Each structure stands twice: as structure tokens, then as C-alpha cells.
Amino acid sequence: MDQTQVVEKLAELQTLIEMSGTINMEVFYWWCTGLMVIIHAGFLAYEMGASRLKNALASGVKNILALAFIIPTFYFFGWWIYLAMYNGFTPDFEAGAAGLPWASAMGPNLADNASGIFWGAFVLFSATTASIFSGAVIERIRMSSFIILAIILGSVVWVLGAAWGWHPTGWLTVEWGFHDFGAAGAVHMIAGFFALGVTINLGARIGRFAPDGTPIAITGHSVPMSTIGLMLIIVGFFGFLGGCIIYTTGGQWTTIFGTPATLSAISFNTLMAFAGGIIGSYVITRQPFWMMSGALAGIFSAAPGLDLYYPPLAFLMGIAGGVIAPLADKFLTNKFKLDDAVGAFAVHGLGGTVGIIGLGIFSGFPNVVEGAPAITFLGQLKSAAVMAALGFVPGFVLSYVMAKAGFLRVPPKAEEAGLDLVEVPLSAYPESVPAKSEQPTAVSSPMTV
Amino acid sequence: MNASPITSWEGVEAYFTFADSPTAMMIILGVAALVTVGAIIKSIAHENSTYIDYK
């Protein structure tokens, strides 16, 4: 073999290695996206189980529709928002061009292995955001109102948060050194605070509070189904967290901000925080429902630093999340008479807040964007406030307008009859128990701390 | 029907149905968006009719 042939062979080999790396990248995100679909199987089971029998299917339909409507709307405008709006409210039309629905990157393209697979992962992040909100409003929201709010949250609001704080040149990153590896702010805080805003205007389910304001437990029809659903969400979360890192052919993994990371670090910390969340909630509540919700809160409480933490610290952060979530939910229910049916605000909104601020306390790592400040407590605190406001304000304002227009909530008689009977032409368990009106009971509820 | 202008894979990179006609692509995109909005409107109409018995 002469020198020319050797050079040709090396070039051929180089091309093969690069193609192999590109395809590995595609395969990695393909399976992350598939795993994230399991999150929705989890939310489906979780919310159906947490609903009374008369609302089981309506809750499930709501969940399926959130996924279905987010996908096309994220295609129509969500991806463009992420690419174009990293500066704040002023779009960068040049950067956003690749996300326009008629761009060549937004369809079958033999020269682009990345756009579609990243879009796929992001659209599942969007759908997860909408599903978090979904659980808070079960059993009394109008289906169409829910769909509109879910689209606004999943294809506009969270994407804006992601562009600001979960983008390598997002203004929160560049100006305040914001670091949020696992999207505790962009996904969980925004969804949780949006749910809080809507819950305030939607009001409590009929019978949730006695005339004197005493909370009355409303028990879901299948706590085992809810518990399994929560476990499925955890399974899907491994896909979610995989989707939070960037695969680089021939180089180390990085976070979405470009800082070095490994799946190994995330494995250590995710599992430690998961265990901490369960233990924290177990100590406080002894209930399987809250133990698994606590596992989620535990992961969110460590999510911003899953790439950075010393694992026992992630465990302690998880315990903090697992303790805070059920206590906060009880406080909000008793004090403010809020009826967040699955504790979405406490688990996701407050769990995410603990995570964002916690990273500011425990980390001082540098940023890689040139000129951007290092991670600081003040930067994390201010960024948490931005994420909270970005979630709460649109949720509150939109639902306020809808409520005033009489378009937010189902009529009281329909609520009492059950939404399966009114909205869904099907009964959950027709051969054994018909869908019919049930009175809330004062027996121990899965949501009682 | 010969909807696609692509007759050979040689040199093909991005490809959409009606890839050679931006107008056709915009019409398809517009229809897709209208169907999405229409489904929500249909949902509202369904609710309004079912709620009549529960006012």
C-alpha cells in the first residue's frame, strides 16, 4: 500500500468514525425520547388513579390530549421560540430561522441528523410540562380550557423559560450565571407555578372543603394505580435526564450550557436524590402516594446540580425535597384553601425552587460561556424568581380571564355527575361499577399528610 | 399521483412533499394549523352541547 492509498484509507476511516458518532448521537436521543413517553404513561396512571371513579377517564383523556396538542403546536411555533428568544422578549430572527416550520431543518433531511432528534426530545420536555399542570386541575376544569392552557404552557411559556435559562446563550446564563442541569426551573418550577396560578382561579372541587373551611379528603379511586404511575414517571425521568446532556462525537458529554458532564455523575446523583426523596416523604407521611411524589420532589431538589454534586449531598437535597413537598402542600391546602389535586405546585414548583436555590448555596463552579459569571447564590436566587414569575403570571392571568368569561370550569351539576358521564362517552369499569356521582369521604386520603 | 418532485436520490438533502412548491407547503402547513385549532373549537362545541343538561 503506497502513501496515497494510506491517506485515502485514513480519510475513509475518519468519515466512518464521524458517521458512527453521528448515528450514535441520534440513537441516544431516540431512546431518551422513547423513555420520556413513559413519563406520560406515568402521568396517565397517576392522574386517573387520583381521580374518583366518575372522573377517571376524563382525567386520562385530558392527559392524552395534552401530549397530542403539544406536539403539533411545538412544531408550529415552540421550537422557533427556543431558538429565537434567548435574549428575552426580543427575537433573533436569524437564529430562529432554523425553527420555522417550513425550514429545511424541520423535516426529513439526509444532511441533518440532529435537528429532528433534538426537536423530539424538546417536544417531550414540553409535553411533560403540560402534564405536570394537568394533575392539579383534575375533576373540574373544562377540557377545551385545559387544552388551551396546556398549549400556552407547553409550547410557549416553558419554551421561553428554556430559551432564557436552558440555552447556552440564554440571558439568565450569560448575565447571571444560571445553572440548571435537569430543568428544575424551566420545566418544574414553570409548570408548578403555572398550575398554582390556574388553581387559584379555578377553585376547589365541590366538597373539598367544609363550609367552615376544613379540608375534606377526596380519595382517588385507585391509589395503587397512582403509585405505579409515579414509579413510571421516575423511569421516564432517566430519559428526560439523558436528554439534558449533549452528545459530542469524539468528545466528552456536556450539559446544555456546554460545561463538561458525564452520565456517570448523573447516575450517582439521580439515584441518591431519588432515594432521599422517598425517605424524606416516608418519615413525614408513611404513605406510598407521597413517598413516590417525594421521590420526584427529591430529584427536582437536586436536578440543577446532578452534574456537579457530591452524591451524599444530592441525597440530603433529596431528603429536603421529600420533606418539604408534603408539608408545603398541607400548609397551602389548610391555609389558603387551594385544591391542587396531586400536589403539583408543592412537588414540582417548590421542589424545583429548592433545587435552583440549593445549587446557589452549594456550588461556585465556573461557566464556560466567555464573559459569563460563575454560578452564584444571587444569580440562582434571581433566576428562580424569574422562573416563578414566568410560570405564575401567564397561568394566573389567562385563567382569570377564562374564569371571568365563564369558560374555565365545568357547570356544578356536571361536576357532581362526573366528567366521564358528561364529557367522555365511556365508563371506566362498566362491567363492575358504573360511573356515577359519589360523595367525597372523610377517610384517609392519599393526599393527607 | 406524482406528488414529489424528487426523481432520484442523487444529491438529495432536505426533502418535503411538494418540496419544489413553497405555496403548496404553506397550504399544507395552514391546513394542519387550522385542523389543530378546529379540533379545539369542536371540543368547545361538544362541551356546550353536553352541558345543556347540567345547567
Side-chain angles (χ1 to χ4, degrees):
Chain A
M1 196 180 284
D2 63 25
Q3 197 175 346
T4 311
Q5 286 174 315
V6 170
V7 170
E8 281 173 2
K9 277 283 173 201
L10 281 174
E12 197 179 312
L13 200 58
Q14 179 71 21
T15 305
L16 280 173
I17 290 169
E18 283 173 8
M19 194 64 222
S20 172
T22 301
I23 289 173
N24 278 340
M25 178 274 291
E26 261 192 307
V27 170
F28 174 76
Y29 290 110
W30 174 269
W31 292 120
C32 285
T33 307
L35 272 174
M36 277 195 271
V37 175
I38 297 176
I39 290 178
H40 297 277
F43 275 119
L44 185 80
Y46 175 34
E47 290 172 27
M48 288 174 81
S51 300
R52 285 165 289 181
L53 187 64
K54 62 181 179 178
N55 295 312
L57 292 178
S59 294
V61 169
K62 190 164 58 58
N63 215 277
I64 295 166
L65 287 178
L67 184 57
F69 276 94
I70 291 297
I71 292 170
T73 52
F74 189 80
Y75 185 91
F76 297 151
F77 45 78
W79 192 226
W80 179 86
I81 293 173
Y82 179 72
L83 296 180
M85 303 289 279
Y86 59 88
N87 271 329
F89 292 110
T90 311
D92 177 342
F93 290 103
E94 196 178 330
L100 291 168
W102 50 85
S104 63
M106 293 295 279
N109 194 330
L110 294 172
D112 181 357
N113 294 62
S115 293
I117 210 77
F118 281 122
W119 175 85
F122 262 76
V123 83
L124 264 294
F125 291 135
S126 295
T128 299
T129 311
S131 287
I132 291 165
F133 154 63
S134 159
V137 295
I138 54 173
E139 299 196 307
R140 76 277 203 202
I141 196 168
R142 272 181 79 132
M143 194 75 74
S144 51
S145 308
F146 167 76
I147 293 169
I148 292 166
L149 288 166
I151 290 170
I152 299 293
L153 171 61
S155 290
V156 179
V157 176
W158 109 266
V159 195
L160 206 52
W164 292 357
W166 214 51
H167 184 290
T169 52
W171 72 270
L172 291 178
T173 308
V174 172
E175 293 183 23
W176 292 346
F178 183 49
H179 186 97
D180 179 16
F181 169 79
V187 169
H188 298 286
M189 277 189 73
I190 286 182
F193 279 86
F194 188 96
L196 175 68
V198 176
T199 306
I200 290 169
N201 290 313
L202 182 62
R205 288 168 288 180
I206 294 171
R208 181 68 177 90
F209 295 97
D212 67 353
T214 308
I216 298 172
I218 295 180
T219 314
H221 87 282
S222 176
V223 177
M225 186 191 285
S226 286
T227 309
I228 291 168
L230 284 160
M231 188 67 95
L232 284 174
I233 295 172
I234 302 281
V235 175
F237 219 73
F238 282 84
F240 183 105
L241 292 172
C244 295
I245 64 173
I246 304 295
Y247 183 111
T248 309
T249 303
Q252 180 60 281
W253 300 94
T254 70
T255 64
I256 205 156
F257 318 103
T259 50
T262 61
L263 276 173
S264 187
I266 294 147
S267 171
F268 271 129
N269 288 323
T270 305
L271 290 169
M272 290 292 270
F274 163 74
I278 293 176
I279 292 168
S281 281
Y282 171 72
V283 169
I284 297 294
T285 71
R286 314 284 177 198
Q287 290 188 17
F289 191 99
W290 265 111
M291 285 159 66
M292 293 315 304
S293 291
L296 288 173
I299 294 174
F300 310 148
S301 298
L306 289 174
D307 54 326
L308 301 172
Y309 282 142
Y310 173 50
L313 177 58
F315 178 71
L316 293 175
M317 296 291 292
I319 287 180
V323 168
I324 289 169
L327 291 178
D329 185 70
K330 184 179 182 183
F331 175 76
L332 290 166
T333 304
N334 292 343
K335 182 81 178 171
F336 297 105
K337 313 302 171 201
L338 286 176
D339 182 17
D340 179 342
V342 296
F345 172 67
V347 172
H348 296 268
L350 293 181
T353 306
V354 169
I356 298 291
I357 296 173
L359 183 67
I361 296 169
F362 295 113
S363 172
F365 283 86
N367 250 312
V368 291
V369 181
E370 198 174 334
I375 305 166
T376 62
F377 174 71
L378 194 59
Q380 293 294 108
L381 186 67
K382 289 191 295 184
S383 300
V386 169
M387 290 293 173
L390 184 58
F392 181 79
V393 173
F396 183 84
V397 171
L398 281 169
S399 60
Y400 180 80
V401 172
M402 284 177 163
K404 286 290 174 196
F407 182 62
L408 185 63
R409 187 167 174 144
V410 301
K413 284 184 182 172
E415 187 179 338
E416 284 170 358
L419 301 185
D420 285 8
L421 198 64
V422 179
E423 289 215 8
V424 185
L426 203 60
S427 299
Y429 306 99
E431 292 172 351
S432 54
V433 188
K436 62 181 182 181
S437 178
E438 291 171 1
Q439 292 302 313
T441 61
V443 297
S444 175
S445 157
M447 294 307 300
T448 306
V449 177
Chain B
M1 284 183 70
N2 292 318
S4 169
I6 297 171
T7 54
S8 162
W9 290 104
E10 190 68 34
V12 170
E13 290 188 352
Y15 49 97
F16 294 105
T17 309
F18 301 106
D20 66 335
S21 168
T23 307
M25 276 178 63
M26 294 305 278
I27 289 169
I28 292 169
L29 176 64
V31 170
L34 281 174
V35 168
T36 307
V37 174
I40 298 171
I41 293 169
K42 182 77 180 159
S43 169
I44 296 168
H46 163 71
E47 286 166 352
N48 288 342
S49 65
T50 57
Y51 292 162
I52 288 171
D53 297 333
Y54 295 92
K55 294 287 184 189

